[in-house]
Amino acid sequence: MNKTKREEIFRRLREANPNPTTELVYNSTFELLIAVILSAQATDKGVNKATAHLFPAANTPEAIVALGVDGLKDYIKTIGLFNSKATNIIETCRILVEKHASTVPQDRAALEALPGVGRKTANVVLNTAFHQPTMAVDTHIFRVANRTGIAPGKNVLAVEKGLLKHIPKDYLLDAHHWLILHGRYTCVARTPKCGQCLIADLCDFKEKTV
């Protein structure tokens, strides 16, 4: 795929959705961090249902630490891997209180040092909360990048680097959200909705559906 095609792809995505954002519901950077940790191997819809009860009761590091692991589990038990997530979140909250004055750090190294926060989670927080031009590659973005030819790669890191290299700078800040939404609702895994796709004519995927 060439530069001209990539430019047109993102021009169309922006035109269709000028202000894309995450589908996770949050009211602070801390709430976003917790929601993203919970979203690993879970749907945003499922996370939102849990946090709709959790955040009114505890939406600061101190308040969640006060819940304890078992107390937190009661709020997130409908989410996959809730046992390990509860342990990680409690420890993350302790570290935020003790080392970061109860605020979410704005640099990758400090974020990735938090339990339950990997590169993808850090990229989401850096992009969504702190408006840094990062690229969090999940299964949807990995699929879209490879299928369309925007930035093919054999693993998540290769795709991330390819996207950062090839996406036009003017579109990079919002590209994560455009690509994840495109993969979630149009370029779906089993049977992509090519007939409804606004970039189908620019896409390199050879087995397009009618």
Side-chain angles (χ1 to χ4, degrees), residues 113-133:
L114 299 171
V117 179
R119 186 177 183 87
K120 184 179 74 173
T121 297
N123 277 334
V124 172
V125 174
L126 291 171
N127 179 261
T128 304
F130 299 119
H131 309 293
Q132 296 184 24

Side-chain angles (χ1 to χ4, degrees), residues 33-171:
L33 173 64
I34 299 305
V36 178
I37 293 173
L38 291 172
S39 72
Q41 298 184 47
T43 66
D44 287 359
K45 185 177 180 180
V47 171
N48 289 338
K49 284 184 178 180
T51 57
H53 298 287
L54 171 63
F55 290 154
N59 67 345
T60 66
E62 292 88 348
I64 288 184
V65 168
L67 288 177
V69 172
D70 290 337
L72 179 57
K73 285 180 183 179
D74 285 340
Y75 287 100
I76 66 171
K77 59 188 176 185
T78 56
I79 297 174
L81 306 176
F82 73 92
N83 285 307
S84 59
K85 288 176 181 177
T87 300
N88 285 336
I89 287 172
I90 292 294
E91 187 57 29
T92 280
C93 289
R94 284 200 182 102
I95 292 171
L96 291 177
V97 171
E98 294 170 5
K99 296 185 178 181
H100 300 287
S102 297
T103 61
V104 178
Q106 297 189 36
D107 66 278
R108 179 186 302 282
L111 282 169
E112 291 187 15
L114 299 171
V117 179
R119 186 177 183 87
K120 184 179 74 173
T121 297
N123 277 334
V124 172
V125 174
L126 291 171
N127 179 261
T128 304
F130 299 119
H131 309 293
Q132 296 184 24
T134 58
M135 181 57 60
V137 179
D138 69 348
T139 55
H140 297 299
I141 293 179
F142 186 81
R143 179 176 65 254
V144 171
N146 276 287
R147 185 182 276 170
T148 61
I150 292 172
K154 292 183 178 179
N155 57 56
V156 168
L157 186 58
V159 168
E160 178 186 330
K161 290 180 177 179
L163 289 170
L164 291 173
K165 177 180 179 181
H166 293 301
I167 293 173
K169 294 294 186 288
D170 287 347
Y171 299 102

